[in-house]
Amino acid sequence: MFGLFDADGWAWATTKALFWLLVLIMALGYIPDRAYYFMVSRTIELGILGWSPVNLCPPENGAEMPCPVPVGGVLPWQPSPAEAALPQPRSGGAALQLGTHLLYAGGTDGTAPSATTYTVTIERGSFGAWGEGPALPEARTDAALAVLSGTGYLIGGIGPDGAPTNTVWAIGLDPDADNTLTQWAEVAAEGEEPLTLPEPRAGASAVAVSDGIVVIGGRGDGNAPTDTVWKATLDDDGVLGAFEPQASLQRPVAEAIAAFEGSFIWVYGGSDASGATASVQRGDYGAIVEPGASGEPSGGHGAPAADLPEGVTAWATDEGSNLPAPRTGASGFAANGALYSIGGSDGTTAQGDLYWALPDSEGNLPGGWRHLDPTDLPSGLVDAAPVVSGATAILIGGRENGAFITSSTRTSLAPAAPFFRLGIAGVVVPALQIPGEIGQQIGYLAAAGVGTGNFVILVIIGWAFNHRPEIAAWRERRRIAREAKAPDAG
């Protein structure tokens, strides 16, 4: 706009406008922002850092890890101390965290299912000795687990008689008793009967979605993998309703990993009718529209998607998205936008490989499944119970070389970024990283101080540009004064 009034024309006006716009952004935005993060972060980035040929990583990542660690990569697994071992060997149990309570429920020692629940207090991924907590109403192993709205649900599993069951039990925290654990109990449903699965299942997978729980596959009374998918939806009071059928899997599967990421449910690995499989099945999750004669939702009312029930609408498979190798009884989860598969069996031998994939918003796995040798388990591990606590992933119990174990192993899902990077148009340098609220407040003060100082400098610059004759006269007086003080050269 000011080009209309600039004697030098549009080109020069535009150049000046862009220059001062960048100066304002740097002085009042970028530099104060960097001042804040210099106080609270481990490193800060200066400039635009794209590709960086020079990277220096902290030693805690491990000398064998690449620098920087690829997106989704984890650190090498570390065994937990002997003091953190389960009181008894267990495999096929379920691990979950409720508040500061870490639970390991059910499982088997190789002779019979167990009703024992072990509990321990966990903080920042660390815990000590286990103790006995609320027992299950009946022994269970190979049950599905989901945590929804602060409540843990144990679904199905093999009972004391060795047959699959249809039970649904829940445990939570009692807010009136300092968030101590409640007892495992049947989930109430409409009427007098408790909530149960439509059919018995063991080795099924369960995922918590935005409005309920989805139970996928598993083995029924005939012990063959099934393709059934059921969903229990939360009502307005936060109570689970009856399990309703959803779109069936394309391939029956049991002992698979299931994870909910974005608007898709991922089911990968497990056992099909032929044994261990590498198959990956992707379920579309969203509003269920039942077309009527007019192509509108059932009833022809054209209800908006927000008013329609949500569920699994379809499943798809893609051979290019399959795991690198068949895995059944593997441990897995979704975290930080990535899908993980750890250990498991290829059908004959326990494996220790860790694979991860990064799904995109379209439900694809660009780049496929990734692998780093340093992130593999020290030895093959099957049927360990996974739990994610903050930035720490823990595998509890399981079987190593056919032996039922008590130990656990853990890894960090947040490898440290390089503390120094040198790129073509930027650099990453170490910062102070003052922790806690003190660091936050000092960061705010630093940003405010730098921003205020820069604002004062900009005001002075602006005043100087608008008082050029006065500035020129002042500089001339300074020049004359300097010359008057200079010794006579003659």
Side-chain angles (χ1 to χ4, degrees):
M1 289 293 294
F2 283 104
L4 294 172
F5 311 104
D6 196 306
D8 296 321
W10 279 98
W12 181 237
T14 301
T15 302
K16 290 188 293 185
L18 290 175
F19 172 79
W20 286 111
L21 175 63
L22 292 175
V23 169
L24 289 171
I25 291 174
M26 291 291 293
L28 302 182
Y30 183 78
I31 294 176
D33 176 79
R34 298 296 86 187
Y36 169 80
Y37 284 106
F38 181 77
M39 297 296 172
V40 302
S41 299
R42 188 174 183 276
T43 60
I44 59 169
E45 181 177 321
L46 304 175
I48 302 173
L49 187 72
W51 174 71
S52 174
V54 179
N55 299 282
L56 301 178
C57 282
E60 55 261 33
N61 279 3
E64 67 273 25
M65 294 294 292
C67 181
V69 177
V71 176
V74 306
L75 292 186
W77 294 87
Q78 302 295 328
S80 296
E83 294 79 8
L86 292 169
Q88 297 291 329
R90 287 287 185 272
S91 178
L96 65 154
Q97 182 178 354
L98 297 175
T100 59
H101 303 277
L102 180 62
L103 293 78
Y104 183 91
T108 178
D109 60 2
T111 58
S114 172
T116 302
T117 295
Y118 297 121
T119 65
V120 68
T121 299
I122 185 171
E123 183 176 357
R124 297 181 181 179
S126 297
F127 55 93
W130 295 85
E132 286 202 22
L136 298 174
E138 190 177 64
R140 288 289 184 275
T141 188
D142 294 336
L145 172 76
V147 178
L148 178 65
S149 300
T151 299
Y153 295 89
L154 197 71
I155 303 167
I158 295 175
D161 60 355
T165 63
N166 64 355
T167 54
V168 180
W169 300 328
I171 190 171
L173 301 176
D174 187 349
D176 297 327
D178 296 327
N179 285 326
T180 57
L181 292 169
T182 63
Q183 299 294 315
W184 287 99
E186 295 177 328
V187 177
E190 296 181 2
E192 298 181 357
E193 295 296 323
L195 177 66
T196 59
L197 295 173
E199 300 172 6
R201 287 291 182 269
S205 306
V207 291
V209 292
S210 55
D211 61 343
I213 294 175
V214 178
V215 178
I216 304 159
R219 301 180 186 275
D221 288 330
N223 202 40
T226 66
D227 63 359
T228 55
V229 181
W230 301 313
K231 182 199 172 190
T233 303
L234 287 172
D235 63 18
D236 293 337
D237 297 323
V239 178
L240 281 177
F243 282 93
E244 301 291 342
Q246 308 289 294
S248 298
L249 293 169
Q250 288 200 348
R251 300 173 181 173
V253 72
E255 293 91 33
I257 301 168
F260 183 51
E261 182 62 39
S263 58
F264 301 97
I265 295 177
W266 298 87
V267 178
Y268 46 103
S271 296
D272 58 17
S274 301
T277 179
S279 174
V280 174
Q281 303 185 62
R282 187 201 68 201
D284 298 333
Y285 187 82
I288 298 179
V289 179
E290 298 179 0
S294 62
E296 294 181 339
S298 183
H301 301 298
D307 296 333
L308 295 171
E310 292 189 320
V312 185
T313 58
W315 291 90
T317 59
D318 178 7
E319 295 296 329
S321 297
N322 284 354
L323 291 166
R327 290 292 182 268
T328 185
S331 304
F333 48 83
N336 303 324
L339 307 175
Y340 295 90
S341 172
I342 308 109
S345 170
D346 61 3
T348 57
T349 308
Q351 304 293 320
D353 305 289
L354 181 148
Y355 302 117
W356 83 92
L358 300 169
D360 62 19
S361 59
E362 302 298 323
N364 302 312
L365 299 180
W369 292 88
R370 310 173 190 201
H371 173 258
L372 283 175
D373 288 337
T375 64
D376 289 342
L377 295 169
S379 60
L381 183 64
V382 181
D383 287 339
V387 64
V388 176
S389 178
T392 302
I394 309 169
L395 305 182
I396 306 172
R399 289 177 284 121
E400 286 184 349
N401 300 318
F404 291 75
I405 63 174
T406 62
S407 59
S408 61
T409 184
R410 68 189 71 194
T411 186
S412 172
L413 300 173
F419 62 84
F420 178 82
R421 302 183 71 187
L422 180 61
I424 302 300
V427 63
V428 171
V429 297
L432 292 181
Q433 195 181 23
I434 301 175
E437 185 67 21
I438 293 178
Q440 293 275 346
Q441 297 301 326
I442 294 177
Y444 295 143
L445 290 174
V450 171
T452 302
N454 288 348
F455 178 76
V456 171
I457 293 172
L458 288 173
V459 169
I460 294 173
I461 293 173
W463 181 89
F465 265 89
N466 284 277
H467 294 78
R468 295 185 183 182
E470 292 88 338
I471 297 296
W474 175 79
R475 293 178 62 186
E476 181 63 19
R477 291 194 299 270
R478 294 284 297 170
R479 185 186 65 79
I480 294 173
R482 285 196 304 272
E483 291 179 353
K485 293 181 180 180
D488 188 350

